[in-house]
Amino acid sequence: MESLKVYILIANRMYNDGIRSALGLAVENHYGYPVIFNGEFPQFSNYMKENIGWIMDMEGQVYSCGADAPEESYDAELEENLIAPIDLKELGEAMREADFIIPYGLSKQTNEPPPACAE
């Protein structure tokens, strides 16, 4: 079976499990490229950093389009940021080589979520 290139477009921090979906693709011998739009970054726990690190180990990459990656995404051991910046034009060029493009989750809502769901 041929390896697939899959871009997962994440536009809302509530759907940061798109990063785990890319990791699942990598485990199945595919290339996953989650793209976080407009600064909608997940909370960077050690768990999330490990997931992103594993994606990188399996020749994938997590990108940020429209905002600089936060300081929390910097890995001191690797001495680099785990999230690579990409502008919209570069992303468009890269997605031309993609086998699948997955718009993941919903865009940001106009109404505030209840406090229990806000994180």
Side-chain angles (χ1 to χ4, degrees):
M1 181 170 81
E2 186 177 324
S3 295
L4 302 173
K5 251 186 178 179
V6 180
Y7 282 81
I8 301 173
L9 310 179
I10 304 169
N12 188 334
R13 82 177 68 234
M14 298 299 289
Y15 295 95
N16 61 32
D17 54 339
I19 293 171
R20 283 196 32 91
S21 297
L23 178 58
L25 287 167
V27 169
E28 292 295 325
N29 204 25
H30 301 296
Y31 299 98
Y33 301 96
V35 182
I36 301 169
F37 283 91
N38 303 321
E40 291 291 322
F41 298 105
Q43 293 180 351
F44 284 96
S45 62
N46 286 336
Y47 175 74
M48 185 59 72
K49 284 183 179 180
E50 287 176 2
N51 287 341
I52 294 171
W54 287 337
I55 290 171
M56 292 172 66
D57 288 345
M58 296 181 187
E59 299 179 24
Q61 179 65 54
V62 178
Y63 292 107
S64 171
C65 185
D68 292 331
E71 289 181 22
E72 296 89 19
S73 65
Y74 183 80
D75 189 324
E77 289 180 20
L78 296 175
E79 297 181 357
E80 68 178 337
N81 206 319
L82 297 174
I83 298 178
I86 190 169
D87 66 28
L88 200 54
K89 185 176 180 179
E90 292 171 332
L91 178 60
E93 292 293 325
M95 288 193 311
R96 289 180 183 193
E97 299 174 6
D99 294 301
F100 293 99
I101 300 169
I102 302 171
Y104 200 85
L106 301 171
S107 59
K108 192 166 187 165
Q109 303 300 303
T110 56
N111 298 326
E112 290 294 318
C117 299
E119 294 182 0

